[in-house]
Amino acid sequence: MKEQLAKIEREALEAITGAENPAALEELRVRYLGKKGELTAVLKQMGKLSAQDRPAMGALANEVRSVLEETIELTSQKLAAAALDLKMKAEALDVTIPGQEAALGHKHPMYIALDEIKDIFVGMGFTVLDGPEVELASYNFDKLNAEEGHPSRDWSDTFYFDADSRVMLRSQTSPMQVRAMETMPLPIRIVAPGRVYRKDEVDATHSPMFHQVEGMVIDKNVTMADLKGTLNLLAEQLFGAGTVTRFRPHHFPFTEPSCEMDVQCHKCGGAGCPTCKGEGWIEILGAGMIHPNVLRMSGIDPEIWSGWAFGMGLERTAMRRFKISDLRLIFENDVRFLEQF
């Protein structure tokens, strides 16, 4: 038995120290020290020994087990250290190599224009409001003096959710003007940007989904001159000093008198081109003095208070601001286009 233990120790030490990886080392541990291992098998023969020889063989066997366990632990540590060294070399970072610049996004041109508009109005003391895109027709039409039968309420122009034409995708952000009049203390100065929806065919200046910025002022002794002065200031700060504008009479049910404001076409300078449909001008917004009926429906006395309101298309403003020739470019997500901004 003494010779068997010496042989096992010799062979095991040679195999353990030569193990190439943790898996091979574990196989050797099981082979020699496991429940069915070679050393265990020898120990099971201890009962055949005489009472005199048994203590000496037991001590020798324990010594062999201790040597093998210690060698296995040392070899395991060496293999782990070698694996870590290989990993460190494989994952080493050469700090002298130039890094790769990360591609960062930037604001969309339309939202650049929106932020500029917000800054201009906030600088004039306006409050920015946000509201629901799914709206009640009472806020979108009734309380804005657009009664049943008005062309804008037709199913061919508006996206409704119900057969009674009471719930809809808002066609303008004007409902926020009504909500402001119902909830905010007077005087009021607000702008309300957001998405709106109309059944327009897609072309160079139209889309069924687009963005509007509505604005409103209600105070004492407010006049049309205040409206024109504010809008001309807006145009000059957005498009540059000397921007040419014109105001044309128009009709809106919620303002009286009403007007539309155009800016000279940035593409042709007023000569006429496809972008402005040959007119030389691009309509930017509709505006006017708030109709007395609209004030009354929101509980405001038109004999004491007066106000003006406007609604501008954000996409067309961005087109003029950045000299974009086709509105569809704003929505197509073409990186070649967006990278220009």
Side-chain angles (χ1 to χ4, degrees):
M1 180 175 289
K2 185 176 181 180
E3 290 77 10
Q4 282 182 291
L5 290 173
K7 180 181 179 183
I8 289 173
E9 181 179 10
R10 184 175 62 254
E11 292 178 352
L13 289 175
E14 183 179 353
I16 290 169
T17 54
E20 296 181 353
N21 53 65
L25 184 63
E26 176 63 15
E27 289 181 4
L28 292 171
R29 186 194 68 78
V30 174
R31 174 181 170 184
Y32 290 105
L33 302 180
K35 291 181 179 181
K36 298 181 180 180
E38 294 185 18
L39 182 60
T40 306
V42 172
L43 293 175
K44 288 180 180 180
Q45 301 176 20
M46 294 285 289
K48 299 178 182 180
L49 298 175
S50 65
Q52 294 177 347
D53 295 335
R54 198 176 299 154
M57 287 298 104
L60 180 59
N62 286 334
E63 183 181 344
V64 171
R65 174 180 288 276
S66 179
V67 169
L68 295 185
E69 288 177 344
E70 184 179 350
T71 305
I72 288 173
E73 178 62 25
L74 291 174
T75 304
S76 176
Q77 293 176 6
K78 290 180 181 179
L79 291 174
L84 178 61
D85 187 55
L86 288 174
K87 183 179 180 181
M88 294 292 287
K89 289 180 179 179
E91 297 178 357
L93 175 65
D94 186 350
V95 295
T96 65
I97 298 177
Q100 293 183 347
E101 184 177 356
L104 299 177
H106 53 80
K107 286 184 180 179
H108 191 282
M110 187 179 68
Y111 284 99
I112 295 174
L114 176 59
D115 286 344
E116 291 177 352
I117 292 170
K118 287 180 181 179
D119 287 344
I120 292 169
F121 279 104
V122 168
M124 291 190 286
F126 283 65
T127 300
V128 180
L129 300 183
D130 188 23
E133 294 179 26
V134 177
E135 186 59 274
L136 297 174
S138 58
Y139 278 94
N140 199 87
F141 294 123
D142 296 337
K143 294 184 179 183
L144 290 168
N145 207 38
E147 300 176 348
E148 293 284 350
H150 191 276
S152 64
R153 302 184 69 147
D154 194 89
W155 278 76
S156 61
D157 289 331
T158 302
F159 295 97
Y160 290 104
F161 287 99
D162 61 331
D164 295 331
S165 305
R166 305 314 301 169
V167 182
M168 56 181 288
L169 288 174
R170 66 182 179 188
S171 60
Q172 53 200 357
T173 54
S174 303
M176 287 309 301
Q177 296 178 10
V178 178
R179 294 178 185 276
M181 286 188 282
E182 291 181 346
T183 59
M184 295 179 69
L186 294 166
I188 298 172
R189 290 174 177 81
I190 61 103
V191 285
R195 279 186 292 266
V196 298
Y197 306 85
R198 297 179 189 175
K199 291 183 178 178
D200 287 333
E201 295 295 328
V202 177
D203 61 24
T205 55
H206 292 83
S207 169
M209 186 284 294
F210 56 102
H211 296 73
Q212 267 194 341
V213 179
E214 298 268 347
M216 180 182 71
V217 168
I218 299 177
D219 206 336
K220 294 178 180 178
N221 302 317
V222 173
T223 68
M224 194 77 172
D226 300 313
L227 168 64
K228 293 184 69 175
T230 302
L231 295 182
N232 276 326
L233 176 63
L234 171 66
E236 289 220 344
Q237 292 206 17
L238 272 179
F239 309 131
T243 297
V244 181
T245 65
R246 72 175 183 182
F247 290 83
R248 294 178 287 105
H250 199 70
H251 169 72
F252 299 111
F254 33 84
T255 53
E256 180 61 37
S258 304
C259 65
E260 287 189 337
M261 187 180 89
D262 305 331
V263 293
Q264 198 170 74
C265 178
H266 57 276
K267 192 71 175 178
C268 63
C273 68
T275 298
C276 61
K277 298 182 178 178
E279 296 180 2
W281 299 86
I282 295 178
E283 176 193 337
I284 292 295
L285 57 84
M289 300 301 296
I290 300 174
H291 199 291
N293 289 345
V294 175
L295 294 174
R296 289 191 190 98
M297 282 187 278
S298 294
I300 298 174
D301 187 350
E303 298 297 324
I304 301 175
W305 304 91
S306 59
W308 53 257
F310 72 89
M312 65 189 301
L314 184 55
E315 283 81 2
R316 293 186 184 184
T317 305
M319 289 174 67
R320 177 66 177 78
R321 170 69 176 79
F322 296 108
K323 296 180 171 53
I324 299 169
S325 62
D326 195 316
L327 179 144
R328 288 166 290 195
L329 291 169
I330 293 175
F331 298 117
E332 288 177 349
N333 292 328
D334 190 325
V335 175
R336 294 171 300 176
F337 167 75
L338 296 175
E339 283 179 342
Q340 300 177 48
F341 306 95

